[in-house]
Amino acid sequence: MNKLYLWGIIITAAMLGATYVTVGYQKGGLNGDIVNMLAIAGAVALVIITMFVVIKYVRQMQTDQASGELADESWDNIGEYKNPVPFGWAIMFIGTMIWGMWYFTIGYPVNAFSQIGQYNEEVKEKDAEFEKKYANIKGEQLVNMGESVYLVECVACHGLNADGNNEVDAADLNQRISEKSIKYVINHGSNNKLLGTEMPMPDRNGLFNAETGALITDKEIDAVAKYVADGLKDANSAGAKVFANVCAACHGPDGKGMAYVAPDIATWNKQLVINVLDNGKKGVIGKMPAMDRLNPKQKEAIAAYVMSLSKGE
Amino acid sequence: MFHWLEKHPFFFAVGVFVVIAFAGLIEIVPNFAQASRPVIGTKPVTLLEQAGRDVYIKNSCNACHSQLIRPFKAETDRYGHYSLSGEYAYDRPFLWGSKRTGPDLMRVGNYRTTEWHENHMKDPKSVMPSSIMPGYPWMFKNSADIDTAYATQLTNAQFFGVPYNKPVPMKDGSTAVVKMADSVAGAHAMALAEAKEITSKMKDQNVKDAVARGEIPEIVALIAYLNSMK
């Protein structure tokens, strides 16, 4: 046993002793705590392994002799032993190069993070979730959904009670159509894509009264406007007669409209509301912007809500 | 050459900088230029809209309202398509904003109307009972600064190449031309014509009278600007 090993043993013992004293004088020592014990076991292992490694290399420095085959190159008479790359290292080196090429050409470009990609995934996921959760929503629930969408998107103009707001020119949704609107539509015609397609209604110069054979008159307009705004109820009024002779040809005798020809002017219906949301609307009180960014279910829900408002009228 | 560089660390550092900067130049700049090219459908602001933009800045609207829709579903559901950098190509300065006390205004022109803005700017609570925004009644009295707006337009056109009086491609394949006046008097006439279009839908009699007299209240310019944000 030479001096080196002796020093090794002394230093190891000293460090282990220091560890023991440090831990021992802590309040409560290890406390039977598994984490503390693991830490101490690690410290002991570290001391011992370090000592073995240090001794190995110090010994090598003390005793090693230069040996091996010199390479041909010589730099100012300083030579180098032939020292081939270990086989494992070579494999790793080539493997890294192959991986690098894959990462550079495929790995990164295909899997790279993209903000928009993440956004698209999020939208897809949430839409699917929404679709699944509300696929069969109907009745009361659909109306409630419509109300919440309404409170976010529509309330700014149509008001909390959906009674419209003449200041900002939004319609009262508690009734299908107001007297003012009817008069305007008859006087100016209308083309609001309420049926989803271009289907203009003529102005008063295109509206004939089948009974009198003449164009509709101001008096008749007043009468029919009142009749329609009241919900086509009073069958004996003058307005009802005008309606039957002028409007019913397209809007139907009950005002329920006809597919591809004229919209329902008696009540709100689902497709009507959806078409207004899709295309916006322009009339006597002003212009409503299209709300086409809502999804189909939300539009349906708003339709259900609007229909629920005018029920019983 | 290399021996010389090895002995002169300062010039060596300069050389390293040049090499790395060159790599950055060819990798970053083309991408950046591509992304900031005007998106098809983006138009420069008209004269009245520019005056409204100045009102927007003057009243610090951008302190509470952003003009930047981030790509999150919660935002695109509420405000519309997320913003693209090319949409700001003609914004000088851009008004992204960094705080939303109020909602984002990037595409407010899509879902609010002149009538709505008129009532809202006078008394926000009249159209939105829960609103915490203050009213801006003085905008109905003060006149918009058309001279400055015209000067800004002229600067943008001449020094920054913003395409006024030139065809700009639109989304439907057509082209649109945003006209710029060639004299200060012409500019005033142009702004007034635009203002009349806006006031035809407004209710405030004082504003209508002012426009009829040839003045342009700030509110008219601001509404023109808000309507243009799509």
Side-chain angles (χ1 to χ4, degrees):
Chain A
M1 182 175 294
N2 61 25
K3 237 160 78 179
L4 188 63
Y5 294 128
L6 198 63
W7 273 115
I9 289 165
I10 291 169
I11 291 175
T12 306
M15 286 175 83
L16 289 177
T19 309
Y20 180 80
V21 170
T22 311
V23 176
Y25 280 84
Q26 288 293 320
K27 200 177 171 191
L30 287 175
N31 284 329
D33 186 336
I34 183 77
V35 176
N36 288 350
M37 289 184 196
L38 274 174
I40 292 304
V44 170
L46 215 62
V47 167
I48 293 169
I49 291 168
T50 307
M51 220 26 84
F52 270 104
V53 171
V54 169
I55 286 169
K56 175 181 186 293
Y57 283 105
V58 171
R59 255 199 82 66
Q60 195 172 328
M61 281 190 283
Q62 285 172 342
T63 59
D64 215 12
Q65 296 293 320
S67 65
E69 198 183 337
L70 269 175
D72 294 338
E73 296 90 344
S74 164
W75 294 272
D76 295 343
N77 290 327
I78 299 172
E80 191 181 53
Y81 289 120
K82 279 186 179 167
N83 194 9
V85 179
F87 185 68
W89 286 25
I91 294 286
M92 291 252 304
F93 179 63
I94 290 167
T96 309
M97 286 209 292
I98 292 169
W99 178 85
M101 277 186 255
W102 169 83
Y103 187 72
F104 197 73
T105 54
I106 299 164
Y108 180 74
V110 171
N111 302 309
F113 173 79
S114 144
Q115 198 183 16
I116 300 306
Q118 194 184 41
Y119 165 74
N120 290 339
E121 274 168 22
E122 185 194 4
V123 168
K124 210 170 141 191
E125 186 190 317
K126 296 280 177 199
D127 283 351
E129 205 177 290
F130 183 92
E131 202 75 17
K132 200 174 151 209
K133 193 166 173 190
Y134 298 116
N136 298 313
I137 187 171
K138 51 179 177 272
E140 186 80 1
Q141 266 186 309
L142 192 62
V143 173
N144 289 343
M145 181 201 265
E147 186 173 6
S148 15
V149 179
Y150 179 91
L151 286 176
V152 176
E153 298 285 347
C154 321
V155 80
C157 293
H158 288 281
L160 272 176
N161 302 319
D163 53 359
N165 184 339
N166 276 329
E167 291 293 316
V168 294
D169 299 346
D172 180 352
L173 298 175
N174 293 300
Q175 61 176 16
R176 167 63 185 92
I177 191 165
S178 70
E179 220 172 304
K180 197 172 151 196
S181 293
I182 299 164
K183 285 181 190 165
Y184 178 86
V185 166
I186 295 176
N187 280 317
H188 297 90
S190 158
N191 187 9
N192 276 319
K193 295 193 181 175
L194 292 182
L195 299 161
T197 51
E198 295 274 347
M199 186 65 220
M201 163 171 162
D203 61 12
R204 60 184 301 167
N205 295 319
L207 296 173
F208 286 94
N209 188 325
E211 194 185 31
T212 61
L215 287 173
I216 193 164
T217 63
D218 283 342
K219 211 177 145 195
E220 286 169 345
I221 293 176
D222 286 348
V224 80
K226 192 165 182 317
Y227 171 66
V228 176
D230 284 347
L232 303 108
K233 283 203 194 86
D234 190 356
N236 297 319
S237 66
K241 218 168 110 188
V242 178
F243 188 87
N245 289 320
V246 182
C247 318
C250 294
H251 287 285
D254 52 1
K256 294 264 181 205
M258 263 185 236
Y260 307 111
V261 178
D264 188 339
I265 51 171
T267 53
W268 288 108
N269 66 47
K270 190 169 114 185
Q271 199 51 48
L272 191 62
V273 177
I274 291 174
N275 286 336
V276 172
L277 290 171
D278 278 344
N279 303 313
K281 195 172 179 303
K282 200 170 182 317
V284 57
I285 46 178
K287 191 176 151 219
M288 167 172 160
M291 307 299 278
D292 47 1
R293 65 207 156 86
L294 300 175
N295 72 31
K297 196 55 97 179
Q298 289 173 320
K299 288 179 192 163
E300 206 181 299
I302 291 187
Y305 177 65
V306 170
M307 280 149 71
S308 79
L309 288 173
S310 55
K311 200 165 274 177
E313 277 207 352
Chain B
M1 173 72 186
F2 292 113
H3 283 270
W4 182 84
L5 274 179
E6 278 177 359
K7 288 173 201 155
H8 296 82
F10 174 75
F11 292 103
F12 189 78
V14 170
V16 168
F17 175 78
V18 167
V19 168
I20 292 175
F22 180 71
L25 209 67
I26 60 165
E27 282 184 20
I28 298 167
V29 172
N31 236 329
F32 187 73
Q34 178 70 31
S36 54
R37 199 167 289 171
V39 170
I40 289 181
T42 305
K43 283 188 295 186
V45 286
T46 65
L47 180 56
L48 191 63
E49 286 160 16
Q50 177 64 51
R53 200 165 191 275
D54 294 343
V55 175
Y56 186 97
I57 296 170
K58 181 175 157 190
N59 288 278
S60 286
C61 301
N62 55 320
C64 292
H65 293 281
S66 59
Q67 289 186 21
L68 181 96
I69 304 166
R70 296 171 291 176
F72 299 130
K73 188 168 190 311
E75 297 211 356
T76 54
D77 273 2
R78 185 170 175 192
Y79 302 123
H81 196 279
Y82 51 81
S83 306
L84 305 167
S85 49
E87 290 181 286
Y88 303 99
Y90 305 132
D91 277 13
R92 283 168 209 284
F94 62 79
L95 296 169
W96 293 340
S98 56
K99 184 170 182 293
R100 279 189 194 150
T101 304
D104 188 276
L105 298 179
M106 176 90 187
R107 304 190 197 287
V108 71
N110 283 338
Y111 47 89
R112 293 288 184 263
T113 57
T114 302
E115 298 91 332
W116 191 88
H117 286 307
E118 183 186 359
N119 287 280
H120 186 250
M121 294 309 294
K122 204 180 270 179
D123 176 18
K125 287 195 175 59
S126 71
V127 287
M128 205 69 194
S130 57
S131 176
I132 56 164
M133 177 168 143
Y136 288 78
W138 58 85
M139 285 185 186
F140 292 76
K141 299 191 191 89
N142 297 353
S143 287
D145 189 348
I146 302 298
D147 291 346
T148 304
Y150 181 56
T152 309
Q153 247 188 345
L154 218 54
T155 312
N156 285 348
Q158 293 186 352
F159 291 97
F160 299 113
V162 172
Y164 285 109
N165 291 330
K166 285 177 196 155
V168 181
M170 300 308 290
K171 272 186 188 125
D172 57 5
S174 64
T175 53
V177 177
V178 177
K179 287 214 167 65
M180 186 178 69
D182 47 14
S183 67
V184 177
H188 275 268
M190 194 182 247
L192 201 60
E194 273 186 71
K196 278 184 177 146
E197 212 172 297
I198 301 281
T199 44
S200 71
K201 292 186 198 112
M202 287 179 71
K203 294 215 172 73
D204 192 301
Q205 200 53 47
N206 294 335
V207 171
K208 279 175 182 279
D209 291 347
V211 173
R213 280 198 305 274
E215 293 162 22
I216 299 174
E218 285 182 329
I219 184 72
V220 180
L222 184 71
I223 290 178
Y225 176 56
L226 292 172
N227 284 344
S228 77
M229 295 210 272
K230 286 183 174 170

